[in-house]
Amino acid sequence: MSSALVRMIDRLRERPDRLRAVFFGLLGLFVVYDVFTPRHELHFWGDRVRGFWALFALLGGLVMAKGMKGLGHLWLMKPEGFYDREED
Amino acid sequence: MGLMHPALLFVVGAALAAVLRGRPRQVVLVAVPLVAFLSVNAMVPGTYGTLEYLGFRLVPAHVDKLALVFLNVFTLMALIGAIYGLHVEDTGQHVSAMLYVAGSLGVTLAGDYLTLFVWWELMAFASAFLVFLRRRQASVRAGFRYLLVHTVGGLVLMAGIFLKWMKTGDLSFGPIPADTADLAAYLILIGFALNAAVPPIHAWLPDAYPEATVMGAVFMCAFTTKTAVYVLARAFSGYEVLAVAGAIMTIYGVLYAIIENDGRRILAYHIVSQVGYMVCGIGIGTALAVNGAVAHAYAHILYKALLFMGVGAVLEMAGTSKLSELGGLYRRMPLAMVATVIGGISISGFPLTSGFISKSMVIAGAGADHRTVLMLMLSLAAVGTFLSVGVKLPYFIWFGKDSGRECKDPPKNMLVAMGIAAFFCFFLGVYPDYLYRMLPFPVEYHPYNAYHLSETLQLLGFTGLAFYLLRKKLTPEAKLNLDLDWFYRRATAWFLRIDRRWFEPANEWVSEIYRRVGYRFALGAAALWSRFDVKAIDGVVDGSAYGVLGLGDRVRRAQTGRLQQYIAMAVAALFFLIALVVNL
């Protein structure tokens, strides 16, 4: 079973264009699905906006990743032995 | 009807694990949690075995719905962890793990603070050994930091318990309404919050867990923080401070997970984040939010253990858990890959997995209570969760650039344990009523509705897009990230430096002055005292002695041996006394 799984992954990795197309196709489908999804319980204004959570996730993901990497390089990231010197 | 206390079962199990070896020990390791799991499922709510001790009313076993759901998942997790560690020869690890679970179960059943405190401390000490026993210098140091932080937390908890006792004379462990909370309540809250890794008192967790043994980390990820969630849910439901702190936790944990390099440290930061959902739900305090917190604790224990087991297997088989040194392992460890991917999609809340039916309950609880900001924070944390554990972690371990590391899937017992946890991830996702029936309040929540499904698919899909766009930027870097443990790790180093620079020279200086001045002064003073002793003290003492001797000599001469003289002297003395009394 595990070798079949490995072969399947190998095959998928050999076809990155198809994978990409499927991925973007799915993203489009999710937004279209949201357009036609009925809203029964609205908690705030964002629930009314079609595709709100798509935008929220994309922007949230980008800002968190870029922000934390930036903060890391600016301040948080230190060499791996940073504390060892003091603790010896 | 009596009750077999499951904690005592684990204490006996620990003793047996210490003396047995080989197959008999393996049987004990599996049998103890299995029997405990079955006995917990047969437990009837009630209070068992109350006793008076030194004026305290102790309640070692109080069972209700809230306790039962935690006991259920704790014993199930103990069984999974025991199977995962069956191949481990190290006796210390098995004994520590058994005592650690015993502590956790003891806290869950405790009906008074004194009983709770004893089991609470057992948990801290037993779990510290799961860090020490990795036997690396970094682990021993992390273990001591872990122990010291938890000792401080334990002292704060004890101070709260003492204050409560002094004020009320009551040590029963139950809900403390937010509007009656006093200093004692808040000290107890801080003691509990430390174990729940609520920032800013959270750094012990990502510091210690990645340094634990492979088996130890699997146990640790399940018990300490979730026992803290249980005690918070029992005593502090509806505290606003917890609602806010929990929401902050969810974001804090994922932000660090995004930039971390060590796989087990990523997962450790994710515990902070996931426990944040539970703390937030408890803080909101409505039936839906508390149910969500408890459901999420149950689901989280299983998928987080699955992730720790998967990454632990990588550490054991490939020799490292650092993402910067891994990549392309799917060919060599395909079954471990499947396990971690299932854990990853569960924690991210994919439909049909446990995260989908538990995390959304907390978020819905925030929404239903019109807590829009909290709800958006929890949703943003869900984005960060998928970004870091759902995509980044598996991508850089299993796919990405092949590291060329020689390794293979772990031993069968580890795969079986991962299989059980993976099964529960799907089982709870497909059949949520199994979990919902155990929750403390009646459940009217239905996770599988069209809008929730649409919201989830968008969140996951477009987080995936964010990762795709930034995948090069997110390449792990072999760095250490500063966190609030800096304060006590650097502060101690600074203290040593200040000590070496200022206190030690000052001490030397004072010693030198003493040698040069004080010593001579002391000698001179001693000589003076000696002379005074000889001349003055001895003179007075010797003089007195000579005086007494002379007086004795005179008295001796006055003793003539003639009776008539003694009588005459006695009569004279009598008259003298009578005259004295009359004149007075």
Side-chain angles (χ1 to χ4, degrees):
Chain A
M1 189 199 89
S2 55
S3 57
L5 179 71
V6 170
R7 275 200 304 278
M8 191 186 80
I9 295 171
D10 281 340
R11 229 172 284 155
L12 285 171
R13 295 189 79 180
E14 285 161 11
R15 298 165 175 80
D17 292 340
R18 266 190 227 179
L19 263 181
R20 207 174 296 125
V22 169
F23 176 58
F24 282 105
L26 278 175
L27 292 183
L29 204 64
F30 293 161
V31 177
V32 172
Y33 174 66
D34 190 52
V35 171
F36 295 103
T37 300
R39 270 88 164 140
H40 297 297
E41 263 185 72
L42 301 177
H43 294 309
F44 81 118
W45 59 267
D47 285 333
R48 286 193 195 89
V49 181
R50 310 289 157 170
F52 172 83
W53 294 109
L55 196 65
F56 180 85
L58 180 61
L59 290 179
L62 290 175
V63 168
M64 280 195 287
K66 284 204 86 148
M68 275 312 280
K69 272 286 183 180
L71 195 62
H73 290 144
L74 198 68
W75 176 39
L76 297 176
M77 286 185 180
K78 300 288 174 199
E80 284 185 313
F82 178 73
Y83 287 120
D84 296 345
R85 198 162 26 96
E86 281 81 9
E87 287 170 359
D88 280 333
Chain B
M1 195 179 128
L3 173 135
M4 181 173 63
H5 201 304
L8 297 181
L9 204 58
F10 278 87
V11 171
V12 173
L16 290 174
V19 293
L20 296 175
R21 295 288 180 276
R23 188 52 59 108
R25 179 160 78 184
Q26 289 183 333
V27 171
V28 168
L29 291 176
V30 175
V32 166
L34 186 62
V35 171
F37 180 69
L38 296 174
S39 75
V40 160
N41 280 291
M43 268 184 196
V44 179
T47 301
Y48 300 87
T50 304
L51 61 116
E52 295 287 332
Y53 179 71
L54 297 176
F56 298 108
R57 184 174 174 270
L58 303 184
V59 185
H62 174 76
V63 183
D64 60 9
K65 277 201 93 176
L66 181 65
L68 275 175
V69 62
F70 277 90
L71 290 172
N72 183 298
V73 72
F74 284 156
T75 48
L76 175 61
M77 182 56 227
L79 178 62
I80 293 171
I83 295 171
Y84 186 78
L86 270 184
H87 65 289
V88 175
E89 299 283 340
D90 188 350
T91 301
Q93 288 193 52
H94 292 299
V95 173
S96 305
M98 283 267 186
L99 291 176
Y100 180 37
V101 177
S104 183
L105 298 176
V107 169
T108 311
L109 278 168
D112 68 282
Y113 278 105
L114 213 57
T115 307
L116 181 147
F117 186 78
V118 172
W119 291 115
W120 188 265
E121 290 304 303
L122 176 66
M123 270 175 67
F125 279 86
S127 56
F129 279 89
L130 294 174
V131 185
F132 289 137
L133 288 170
R134 198 171 169 205
R135 298 183 172 88
R136 297 191 328 155
Q137 194 184 40
S139 302
V140 173
R141 285 173 172 174
F144 274 115
R145 286 194 294 272
Y146 172 86
L147 201 54
L148 285 173
V149 170
H150 281 276
T151 303
V152 171
L155 288 173
V156 174
L157 175 61
M158 187 192 266
I161 293 171
F162 278 166
L163 276 180
K164 183 176 161 56
W165 168 252
M166 284 168 66
K167 201 170 174 189
T168 64
D170 175 29
L171 283 183
S172 59
F173 175 45
I176 304 173
D179 52 354
T180 64
D182 53 4
L183 178 63
Y186 279 104
L187 286 174
I188 293 170
L189 174 66
I190 291 170
F192 289 167
L194 186 137
N195 271 30
V198 177
I201 43 179
H202 70 285
W204 59 269
L205 195 160
D207 180 26
Y209 284 17
E211 297 299 340
T213 65
V214 168
M215 173 189 136
V218 172
F219 276 92
M220 291 178 84
C221 77
F223 289 98
T224 301
T225 48
K226 262 59 76 185
T227 306
V229 166
Y230 162 76
V231 291
L232 286 173
R234 175 164 295 287
F236 297 105
S237 176
Y239 279 58
E240 180 62 20
V241 65
L242 290 180
V244 176
I248 293 170
M249 281 172 82
T250 60
I251 306 270
Y252 194 96
V254 292
L255 289 179
Y256 269 91
I258 287 170
I259 55 170
E260 256 302 328
N261 181 38
D262 186 299
R264 294 206 303 172
R265 191 157 277 122
I266 289 175
L267 297 178
Y269 271 115
H270 256 282
I271 296 178
V272 176
S273 175
Q274 296 293 305
V275 171
Y277 284 95
M278 302 162 211
V279 171
C280 182
I282 292 165
I284 292 169
T286 60
L288 178 60
V290 173
N291 267 347
V294 176
H296 202 48
Y298 195 105
H300 169 82
I301 284 174
L302 295 169
Y303 61 62
K304 183 47 64 85
L306 177 57
L307 284 161
F308 262 99
M309 286 191 279
V311 179
V314 172
L315 174 62
E316 187 139 311
M317 306 310 290
T320 182
S321 56
K322 288 181 181 171
L323 269 49
S324 56
E325 298 168 10
L326 295 167
L329 296 191
Y330 74 94
R331 286 199 185 92
R332 278 150 262 168
M333 300 179 68
L335 296 176
M337 176 201 71
V338 172
T340 51
V341 169
I342 291 172
I345 62 174
S346 295
I347 197 173
S348 305
F350 264 66
L352 303 180
T353 66
S354 54
F356 183 78
I357 61 109
S358 63
K359 190 193 294 182
S360 59
M361 219 172 174
V362 182
I363 299 176
D369 203 40
H370 310 291
R371 312 295 294 268
T372 306
V373 175
L374 295 184
M375 191 186 77
L376 288 174
M377 287 172 78
L378 301 182
S379 300
L380 186 64
V383 171
T385 300
F386 186 49
L387 191 68
S388 51
V389 177
V391 195
K392 176 189 154 185
L393 185 80
Y395 181 82
F396 288 108
I397 292 178
W398 309 113
F399 309 109
K401 194 179 165 194
D402 195 335
S403 60
R405 280 186 176 268
E406 285 304 319
C407 51
K408 59 178 183 176
D409 262 325
K412 267 188 193 147
N413 62 298
M414 293 170 87
L415 291 172
V416 169
M418 287 191 259
I420 296 171
F423 165 77
F424 272 96
C425 287
F426 284 123
F427 176 67
L428 297 176
V430 174
Y431 185 53
D433 282 348
Y434 172 81
L435 174 57
Y436 288 175
R437 269 205 298 268
M438 287 191 265
L439 297 180
F441 300 105
V443 178
E444 291 176 10
Y445 176 69
H446 304 286
Y448 288 102
N449 64 72
Y451 183 60
H452 180 213
L453 203 61
S454 173
E455 179 188 350
T456 305
L457 291 175
Q458 288 177 79
L459 281 174
L460 296 173
F462 283 83
T463 303
L465 179 61
F467 178 81
Y468 175 75
L469 296 173
L470 291 177
R471 64 192 182 284
K472 285 202 177 112
K473 194 163 185 62
L474 283 169
T475 302
E477 297 172 63
K479 299 275 186 189
L480 170 154
N481 295 308
L482 292 183
D483 198 350
L484 295 178
D485 56 340
W486 179 86
F487 283 101
Y488 52 81
R489 296 180 75 174
R490 262 294 160 104
T492 48
W494 281 355
F495 175 77
L496 282 176
R497 218 178 291 163
I498 290 169
D499 177 58
R500 280 177 199 145
R501 178 141 187 202
W502 298 103
F503 292 136
E504 278 186 17
N507 183 44
E508 280 299 310
W509 188 69
V510 171
S511 301
E512 190 58 30
I513 287 178
Y514 176 75
R515 268 195 296 276
R516 285 167 188 258
V517 181
Y519 184 58
R520 284 179 194 171
F521 174 78
L523 279 177
L528 203 66
W529 272 111
S530 172
R531 218 171 297 155
F532 177 73
D533 182 43
V534 170
K535 297 285 178 193
I537 307 288
D538 288 1
V540 170
V541 172
D542 292 354
S544 308
Y546 287 130
V548 169
L549 203 63
L551 183 68
D553 192 44
R554 276 193 285 276
V555 170
R556 184 177 58 77
R557 281 182 205 163
Q559 292 172 330
T560 58
R562 291 174 185 162
L563 191 62
Q564 67 274 25
Q565 286 180 357
Y566 296 158
I567 294 169
M569 281 169 70
V571 170
L574 184 66
F575 278 117
F576 174 73
L577 282 174
I578 291 168
L580 199 68
V581 172
V582 170
N583 284 318
L584 282 174

